[in-house]
Amino acid sequence: METNEHSTTAAALHSVPGHRAQEAFGAAKTSIKVYGALSAVALLAVVAVASGGHMVNTFMWVRAVLLPVAAVLIHRLAVSASRGSRRAFERVSALAVIMPIAIIGVDLIPGVCPPWYAATQTVCMLPVIRVAFLTRGSTLRAAFPKAR
């Protein structure tokens, strides 16, 4: 059960060495907020382009709507991880690596989306890449050591 492990990890996160872990989680949560804001701007860009009579395909609409929603969910996971949830930490850590690869990779497929949209999505992923580095850094890895 995660209850004992969760409370043990939560206590470690709030100890003096855990102060650095909380700072790292603060940076990660801020990066996720920036990602959410950039994703919302990308959605507004799609709305503006479509309103201007230019071509916006279904793929662009779906992605533009889903990514800000994903930001909210990832932020909730990061908050839970900062409170000691190993499971939430592992999910944030995995998503922070998978999302940029998947999103940028799909955008590079010719014909899927226009270059401006691919560039916008790449910029949106920069804060997520920072989260990937933070969650794989020694501070947070020490806060969540691998179970044996």
Side-chain angles (χ1 to χ4, degrees), residues 7-8 17-18 52 66-67 76 81 83 92 99 101 120 129-130 132 143 147:
S7 60
T8 304
L66 288 180
L67 290 183
R76 290 185 64 183
R83 293 179 180 156
V92 169
M99 284 180 59
I101 294 169
T120 302
I129 293 169
R130 180 178 184 221

Side-chain angles (χ1 to χ4, degrees), residues 56-82:
V56 176
N57 62 29
T58 304
F59 167 80
M60 293 165 63
W61 277 113
V62 170
R63 173 142 349 135
V65 169
L66 288 180
L67 290 183
V69 173
V72 173
L73 299 174
I74 295 167
H75 187 268
R76 290 185 64 183
L77 284 172
V79 168
S80 184
S82 72

Side-chain angles (χ1 to χ4, degrees), residues 105-125:
V106 169
D107 287 348
L108 292 175
I109 298 171
V112 170
C113 60
W116 71 266
Y117 187 75
T120 302
Q121 294 298 302
T122 300
V123 169
C124 288
M125 287 296 105

Side-chain angles (χ1 to χ4, degrees), residues 116-143:
W116 71 266
Y117 187 75
T120 302
Q121 294 298 302
T122 300
V123 169
C124 288
M125 287 296 105
L126 294 177
V128 178
I129 293 169
R130 180 178 184 221
V131 174
F133 281 104
L134 287 167
T135 57
R136 282 169 168 63
S138 60
T139 301
L140 292 182
R141 280 186 307 159

